[in-house]
Amino acid sequence: ILTCSSTTLLDPAAVLVEFQRLETLNLSFNKISPASLRNLYTCKQLKSLDLSANNLTMLPEDLYALESLQELNLSSNLFSSVITQMNPALLFKSIEDQATKEAQFVKEQFITFHAELLNPKEDFVQLQELDISFNLVDQERNLWFLTQTRSINELMITGNPFAMDRR
């Protein structure tokens, strides 16, 4: 386990040279760029990655190269349903090929789960838990894709407009 949280780390390469067998990495609250995330690909045994609160707006499209990754926390970044630097459908596509069992997108600006590039029978087949709490999802149908996947057994939706009590 390596924690480099709140270190204002810009590029994880310098830290990772000696950690080829690293399984858990916390890089939360840094200023990591999407391009520098490719330096993590040398960590072939990485199972848990926390990239929360890095002000990320995009990810490398080949993040699936982290083949052993089982837990991914992308919460409190700047991901959005509005296309800024990265099409949100590409964001979800970039992580779908992994062995990821748990993903967190808490406190983002998603109004839907962007499944335009995904196939429910082939993508996210390992994903068991998804936390999209405190986003902007205002209609249950915007999560339709998730009901079609085979493996998701826990979906956290707390704080989304459609999940709020409307008395």
Side-chain angles (χ1 to χ4, degrees):
I1 298 175
L2 178 62
T3 299
C4 295
S5 181
S6 300
T7 60
T8 63
L9 188 66
L10 299 175
D11 186 348
V15 175
L16 298 176
V17 174
E18 301 295 325
F19 295 100
Q20 301 300 310
R21 295 190 301 203
L22 187 66
E23 291 186 6
T24 301
L25 180 59
N26 181 341
L27 294 173
S28 62
F29 296 95
N30 281 289
K31 296 179 181 174
I32 295 173
S33 71
S36 70
L37 292 175
R38 288 193 169 99
N39 293 314
L40 301 176
Y41 298 173
T42 60
C43 298
K44 298 294 183 191
Q45 297 179 25
L46 191 62
K47 293 180 181 174
S48 178
L49 177 60
D50 186 345
L51 294 172
S52 60
N54 272 288
N55 293 330
L56 292 168
T57 57
M58 58 187 295
L59 294 174
E61 290 182 25
D62 57 350
L63 194 63
Y64 58 81
L66 294 169
E67 297 171 353
S68 298
L69 197 63
Q70 295 179 11
E71 298 175 16
L72 179 61
N73 187 346
L74 294 169
S75 299
S76 298
N77 279 290
L78 301 174
F79 299 119
S80 172
S81 287
V82 177
I83 297 175
T84 53
Q85 294 182 9
M86 181 177 202
N87 180 332
L90 288 175
L91 171 71
F92 289 104
K93 185 70 175 169
S94 72
I95 65 169
E96 63 82 19
D97 283 335
Q98 302 169 26
T100 305
K101 294 180 180 177
E102 181 181 330
Q104 299 171 346
F105 291 95
V106 178
K107 294 185 179 177
E108 301 297 348
Q109 300 291 311
F110 292 119
I111 58 172
T112 188
F113 184 85
H114 294 276
E116 299 90 334
L117 302 175
L118 302 175
N119 180 328
K121 301 210 182 318
E122 297 174 6
D123 298 327
F124 288 113
V125 294
Q126 301 291 326
L127 189 64
Q128 296 172 6
E129 297 178 19
L130 178 64
D131 190 346
I132 55 168
S133 299
F134 299 100
N135 274 276
L136 302 173
V137 181
D138 61 353
Q139 297 179 19
E140 191 173 341
R141 69 178 178 199
N142 290 342
L143 301 176
W144 177 85
F145 173 85
L146 301 173
T147 66
Q148 305 305 304
T149 61
R150 292 185 264 173
S151 59
I152 293 179
N153 57 33
E154 189 171 344
L155 176 64
M156 283 69 73
I157 57 171
T158 304
N160 281 284
F162 88 94
M164 307 293 269
D165 187 12
R166 297 177 194 244
R167 292 181 199 181

